[in-house]
């Protein structure tokens, strides 16, 4: 069946460091891929998306490229800020209107 | 425009009781989905509705049910509550069934004691 695997956290970085959070998926067909972010006590916010192979999603300095050949959708940011501290979820939307989620990666940015 | 509104934000219920959670989607969105979030199981799909029809249901017992009204508002009901039902319940809406992403509400935090 469909599944999403993302790197375990927490990931701790210093401010202005480079960020990569790995995400790989298993799916039939060509699912849409997403990164969502969750701040403490809040719901999920869509960070970026890609709907087909080689698409690059980007938002607020974050980027991820839909790699069909490696079934990956890694999240990157060139220079993180303390305000980026949150939990990040990778997800795919399957053909049955369902989001399949990774376990989430907690990101901690230290000043 | 207004986002996805979930009510109530917090609930405390006793084992064996039932509970109804409400979700108002973004105006114009006809697809509403529900997810359960727990520390142990993560995010799990409950069900998805489009124009009052349930199109998909996750692997939850029959105690979990939902419905969607003609104005796209949705409710989910959990009967005979168990301690393990304590979770954050998230509602999400989209215009097209989620191909381009869902917008989530802030969730309802249910605690069963």
């Amino acid at each position: 069946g469909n599944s999403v695997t993302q790197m375990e956290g927490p990931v701790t970085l210093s401010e202005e460091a480079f960020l990569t959070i790995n995400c790989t998926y298993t799916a039939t067909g060509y699912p849409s891929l997403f990164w969502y972010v969750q701040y403490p006590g809040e719901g999920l916010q869509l960070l970026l998306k890609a709907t087909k192979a080689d698409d690059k999603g980007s938002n607020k300095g974050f980027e991820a490229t839909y790699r069909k050949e490696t079934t990956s959708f890694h999240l990157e940011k060139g220079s993180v800020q303390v305000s980026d501290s949150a939990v990040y979820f990778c997800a795919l939307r399957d053909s049955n209107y369902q989001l399949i989620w990774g376990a989430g990666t907690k990101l901690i940015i230290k000043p | 425009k207004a986002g996805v509104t979930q009510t109530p934000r917090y609930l405390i219920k006793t084992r064996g009781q039932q509970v109804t959670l409400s979700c108002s989607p973004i105006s114009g969105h006809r697809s509403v989905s529900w997810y359960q979030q727990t520390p142990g199981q993560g995010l799990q799909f409950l069900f998805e509705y489009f124009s009052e029809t349930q199109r998909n249901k996750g692997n939850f017992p029959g105690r979990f049910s939902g419905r969607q009204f003609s104005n796209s508002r949705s409710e989910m009901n959990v009967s005979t509550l168990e301690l393990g039902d304590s979770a954050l319940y998230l509602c999400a809406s989209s215009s097209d069934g989620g191909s381009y992403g869902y917008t989530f509400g802030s969730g309802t935090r249910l605690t069963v004691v």
Side-chain angles (χ1 to χ4, degrees):
Chain A
N2 299 329
S3 65
V4 174
T5 303
Q6 62 182 103
M7 61 191 292
E8 292 188 21
V11 172
T12 303
L13 296 171
S14 297
E15 205 166 20
E16 299 184 2
F18 184 85
L19 167 71
T20 300
I21 300 178
N22 291 335
C23 171
T24 58
Y25 67 92
T26 301
T28 54
Y30 300 90
S32 296
L33 301 175
F34 307 95
W35 277 100
Y36 280 85
V37 59
Q38 187 173 38
Y39 297 98
E42 297 185 14
L44 294 154
Q45 297 179 24
L46 178 62
L47 182 58
L48 52 84
K49 62 181 181 285
T51 59
K52 61 183 186 297
D54 300 325
D55 264 3
K56 177 185 281 188
S58 61
N59 186 27
K60 299 181 181 178
F62 291 90
E63 293 183 339
T65 301
Y66 190 141
R67 302 287 187 196
K68 184 69 176 173
E69 63 277 12
T70 54
T71 61
S72 64
F73 193 56
H74 305 321
L75 182 68
E76 296 182 335
K77 186 176 185 182
S79 176
V80 293
Q81 306 300 313
V82 172
S83 57
D84 293 327
S85 297
V87 180
Y88 293 79
F89 293 91
C90 184
L92 68 82
R93 176 197 173 275
D94 71 8
S95 58
N96 290 315
Y97 318 106
Q98 174 179 346
L99 285 170
I100 310 295
W101 299 89
T105 302
K106 184 174 184 177
L107 176 64
I108 301 169
I109 307 299
K110 296 187 173 181
Chain B
K1 56 183 177 182
V4 178
T5 303
Q6 291 189 246
T7 56
R9 285 296 308 273
Y10 302 93
L11 266 178
I12 300 176
K13 290 287 188 179
T14 304
R15 274 182 300 175
Q17 287 187 313
Q18 75 163 18
V19 66
T20 299
L21 311 182
S22 179
C23 172
S24 293
I26 289 174
S27 178
H29 283 190
R30 295 162 66 188
S31 170
V32 173
S33 296
W34 290 88
Y35 290 83
Q36 181 196 65
Q37 185 178 26
T38 60
Q41 300 298 316
L43 284 152
Q44 294 185 284
F45 171 76
L46 282 156
F47 21 67
E48 191 262 358
Y49 289 89
F50 186 86
S51 294
E52 301 180 68
T53 299
Q54 185 183 88
R55 295 195 294 190
N56 193 14
K57 180 173 168 42
N59 294 323
F60 279 82
R63 301 184 297 106
F64 290 80
S65 63
R67 59 179 175 170
Q68 187 181 32
F69 302 95
S70 58
N71 62 357
S72 293
R73 191 177 70 84
S74 178
E75 290 181 346
M76 67 163 282
N77 183 278
V78 187
S79 62
T80 319
L81 284 165
E82 300 178 359
L83 295 179
D85 297 332
S86 296
L88 180 65
Y89 290 89
L90 293 161
C91 168
S93 77
S94 84
S95 59
D96 65 343
S99 297
Y100 296 92
Y102 283 97
T103 301
F104 281 80
S106 297
T108 293
R109 173 74 63 183
L110 172 65
T111 302
V112 182
V113 298

